[in-house]
Structures are given as C-alpha cells and as structure tokens.
Amino acid sequence: MQATFQAVIEKLKQSGKTAVWQGIGRGIEREALRIKENGTLAPGDHPQELGKTLTHPTITTDYSENLLEFITPVASNIETTLEQLRDIHRVTYKAIGDELLWPMSMPCYIGSDEDIRIAKYGDSHSGRMKSLYRRGLTYRYGATMQVIAGVHYNFSVSDEMWEELAAIEGVSNSQDFRTNQYFALIRNFKRIAWVIPYLFGASPALCKSFFCQTNNEEILNQWNFDTVGKGTVYLPYGTSLRMSDLGYTNKEQATLKITYNSLQEYVSGLRKAITTPSQQFSKIGVKVGDDYRQLNDNILQIENEFYSPIRPKQTAHDGETPSQALERGGVEYVEIRALDVNPFSDVGITAQQMHFLDLMLLYCLLQPSEDMSWEQQQQADKNFTKVVMQGRDPRLSLQQNGIDRLMADWLEELFADFTPLAKALDDSSGEKRYQNHLADLYEWVLNPERTLSGQILGLLKEQNRDNSSLGMQLAKQYREQFNNESLSYYVQSDFTKWAQESEQAFADRYKQDNKVDFDTFLANYFSQAAKSGQVSN
C-alpha cells in the first residue's frame, strides 16, 4: 500500500540528503512573436546571425517565421535558468534591430492570415516536413490560432529522490518504477491543473482583430464579453482565453480517449491518432497535384499535434517519434504546457511561478494517485475550462470526486498541503524562498483580483486602454532594458559557436535526408512511426 503524503515527506526529510530536494531539473521553452513598432507582425525572415532554426539548440521558431521559441538547457537552479533565458533574449534583441518581442500570449493586431508566414526550415526533407506539418495546421485550424504564444515548464526530480521513493515503496529504482510514478504525477496534475489558469492565467482580454481572422465570430457574439478601450474584449471573470475554445481544437481527438493510467495506454492512444483517418481533414486533401497541403489526413498528422496541458517526455534519438522514445527510455521528465506568457516578466515567467510549479508538481508526485477513468478525466477537463472562463468568480464551484465544492475552499486545502513541502525544500537550502512565495500567492487565493488576470484587467479598466497599448508599453520597456544590459551567464562566443554549429548540422541533415525523394522520405517516416517499440513496464 502506498505511504500517505505526510509520511512520504517525513521519510524523505529523514534521509538527510540535500540532493533529494535540491536536485530538481528544470528547463523553460518560451514563445514570443516578433512585431513592428506599430503593433503588427514583423514581416522579415528569422535573423541569419541567430543560426538555423532547424538545428539551433536554444533559439528556434514555432509555427510561424515570426514566432520565436527560446529553450534553456536543464539546470537545477532557478536563477541559473532565468539568467540563461535573459541572455537568450539579450542576444535576440540585438539581432532583430528595431523590432520588439510581444510580451503576451494572445497576439497583437493581425491584419490578415497572410501576414502569418509559416516557419521555414530549409530544403532538407526533415526541414520540409516541419514546414509542411505547419501548413497542415493552417488548413486544419487557421493560421491565427497558431501564433498564440505560451511558456512550457520542463520538470524532473533527482536520482536521489527516486532512490528514496523506491526505498519507501520497497521496490527497485527501475525505469519502470520512475515511469509509473511520472504517470501518477500526470494523473494528479490533471485533477488540479485548474490551479494554473487561476493563479497564472494572463490572457483575460484580446484584440477584436483576432476574431476577424478566425472562424470564431459566433463566439464573439455568444460569450459574455465586455469591452474596454477602443478594440479590446474580455470576460469579466476570465483568466486564460489562450486555453479556451478560442485555441485550435480537434473534436475528433476526444473520440480516441487517450488516458494516462500507464505508458502502454498513452502510447496506444497516440499511435491510434496518427494512423486513424479523419473524415473532416480528408476533405482538405493531402497531395493535390504536386502540392502537399498536410502530412496526411489522419486525426493527428504527427504526435505533436495532440494537445494536453501536460506531456510525458523522453529525449528522442534521431528518427524516433515521441512515443518510440518513451517506449525505449521511459519518462525522463514532464512538460507543463498550461502557462500563459506572464506580461509582467521580461522573460515571460518569474522565479515565484517556478517555485510554485515545483511545489505543485512535487505534490502531484508524492500524493497517492489512483487510476483515472475517461469520465473522470473529462470532468477534470471541465473543471479546467470553468476556471479558464470564470476563474475569478469567488462563487465558482468545481467537481471533486463527483461532489460540487467551492474552488476557493479547494485552493485553501491545496495551499495547506503545499506548506510542508515548501518547508522541506527551504530547510534543505537554508533559505525561505518557497515559503515566502507560497505566502505571497496565498494572498491571491484570498483576493482573485491579485492574480495575473486580475492585475491585467485592473490596469485596462482603470485607464480604459486597449490590451495592445499595455502590451506595446511593456514590449518597449523590455527592449530598452535588454539592449542596455550585458550577458550575465553566457558569453557572446557561446552564441556564435551555436550558430556556426547549427549551420553545419543543417548541412549534414540535408546530406542525410535527401538520399531519397521527399515522398519516399515521408512514407518511410510514417511506416516507422506506426511501429511499436519495446515497452518495458
């Protein structure tokens, strides 16, 4: 029988090993749109001096040529990760000249879908495949949906933590054990994922131009939007419109019932998704004449199209799909995908948020975690959506184990559970950062208007200003700041070296990929993707 939450914390503390608590591995992936001074999307290509996006380790693009993605390596110190991220921003600002980085999740003013240029990854077959996948997303969901930005938080615990947890459970510290425990974490996270949009949702408002370029005009008319400024709409109690139905959705994904009770269940669901034809997407066509419109007409083109607020991850080897990497090596870390860009941070996320995410994810790991039925998972998703749409309503209720309860009461209970974790982490470091940040965020529990979404709407309504005006003010502030700062963790030669290495890796990729024609390359890829690897647990 699994030990209780409090008992596990006490046993971990008794180990006396600092690395149990201090060995957390973290990494950040931050997306940011390049924009012009007038608030429209920057039209130019990705700066050449930053290297090749297909092969660069820290600076790439996501959906579009102007949607940058910054990636930090794994580090066990929060300030180290933030300094790495700041340096990446500093180098990028020098490369983009007079352009700015949009500091919000929802895009700035969009004149036309044609302003959103699909990211270019070169003429190697793998580069063409990445661009074609994005073209498929355009046909499936529209371009505007793809320039919504977010922040991903990658999290893993130390080998010492795994050794102690295995000893507590009386089992060996095996790949199977760690993988099962990460899936237990994921199930618990799904149950309380709504906490993230409540505290850190930062997209309660958006520019009306967003609706003009999407098929969501009916949402604009049906939802209870209020207006502020000249062209900004918002939901009175909304927290994260980025995570609402305004984002791209694939209704057929729900029919697959992808669950998280085991690695086998999860991988089986994903593999079914990339091999099951979609009636809706088959109408688009795959290759019309000589023109590819999408990689295939299946429910998912590739596994990355499956959206979830959290993903189990394993670093993939060349030629592996994400599922095959998981089958080979088990779960290496989890990726949290529910975070909006924090507009009040120069890099989109703060140390306070990272400390809280550590607490939340450790709670999810150390709490007992029963299997989660599809119906229970659907209910958890409904809770998440309610908080996205109405999270700052002090009377909001959610379902817990089939029973309605006030969200505020549930939050109080969670913060009480987070407290001993914060103390254990602080005791191991001799500081009180976790406890201090938890105490500050508890004030947000007591007063929803202190949450990120509450702060944003407060500024907009007090000054009757547009979302775009606030975003532009912050963007210019951050540009001036970064342009006047020196690198603090890396040195310029690091970025020069990475750019040069990305150029060489880019050339090598072309030689490797293009030994066959593109049609054969795609056929070979999907033939391999459909095959199951060796699942060890």
Side-chain angles (χ1 to χ4, degrees), residues 264-278:
Q264 295 99 320
E265 278 190 22
Y266 177 74
V267 166
S268 176
L270 277 183
R271 193 157 281 130
K272 182 178 179 182
I274 63 169
T275 56
T276 301
S278 160

Side-chain angles (χ1 to χ4, degrees), residues 201-213:
S203 53
L206 72 158
C207 176
K208 280 185 180 178
S209 72
F210 180 86
F211 294 97
C212 298
Q213 303 305 326

Side-chain angles (χ1 to χ4, degrees), residues 209-227:
S209 72
F210 180 86
F211 294 97
C212 298
Q213 303 305 326
T214 67
N215 296 319
N216 287 315
E217 290 90 347
E218 59 184 53
I219 288 181
L220 181 60
N221 297 325
Q222 292 174 2
W223 290 9
N224 187 29
F225 280 114
D226 286 341
T227 304

Side-chain angles (χ1 to χ4, degrees), residues 515-533:
K515 293 176 181 178
V516 297
D517 63 81
F518 186 59
D519 288 355
T520 302
F521 177 85
L522 283 186
N524 291 341
Y525 175 87
F526 287 111
S527 174
Q528 288 297 317
K531 293 179 180 177
S532 175

Side-chain angles (χ1 to χ4, degrees), residues 84-221:
Q84 291 170 337
L85 194 54
R86 288 192 177 96
D87 277 356
I88 295 169
H89 281 72
R90 288 165 183 141
V91 166
T92 300
Y93 264 110
K94 286 181 171 56
I96 63 176
D98 293 334
E99 296 173 356
L100 302 117
L101 299 180
W102 185 241
M104 296 180 166
S105 277
M106 298 306 287
C108 50
Y109 178 76
I110 298 173
S112 166
D113 261 8
E114 294 179 2
D115 296 337
I116 304 169
R117 297 165 55 241
I118 292 171
K120 299 184 292 187
Y121 297 100
D123 293 329
S124 70
H125 290 340
S126 51
R128 286 185 62 192
M129 182 177 171
K130 287 191 73 162
S131 294
L132 177 55
Y133 165 61
R134 285 152 175 76
R135 190 178 192 198
L137 295 177
T138 307
Y139 273 105
R140 290 175 174 220
Y141 314 109
T144 302
M145 299 299 179
Q146 313 306 321
V147 293
I148 299 173
V151 174
H152 300 168
Y153 189 69
N154 298 325
F155 173 92
S156 61
V157 296
S158 66
D159 290 340
E160 289 81 2
M161 171 70 86
W162 286 127
E163 289 170 6
E164 293 301 318
L165 289 178
I168 290 169
E169 294 299 316
V171 299
S172 64
N173 178 20
S174 64
Q175 177 180 306
D176 290 356
F177 170 72
R178 295 189 296 272
T179 290
N180 289 334
Q181 293 302 110
Y182 272 128
F183 271 94
L185 180 161
I186 290 170
R187 293 193 298 274
N188 277 336
F189 179 86
K190 294 281 286 185
R191 293 178 172 109
I192 62 169
W194 54 267
V195 174
I196 291 181
Y198 173 77
L199 292 173
F200 303 137
S203 53
L206 72 158
C207 176
K208 280 185 180 178
S209 72
F210 180 86
F211 294 97
C212 298
Q213 303 305 326
T214 67
N215 296 319
N216 287 315
E217 290 90 347
E218 59 184 53
I219 288 181
L220 181 60
N221 297 325

Side-chain angles (χ1 to χ4, degrees), residues 235-253:
L235 289 179
Y237 294 121
T239 63
S240 177
L241 294 178
R242 163 183 168 264
M243 299 298 296
S244 72
D245 284 346
L246 289 175
Y248 72 80
T249 56
N250 181 339
K251 302 300 184 185
E252 290 181 82
Q253 287 187 22

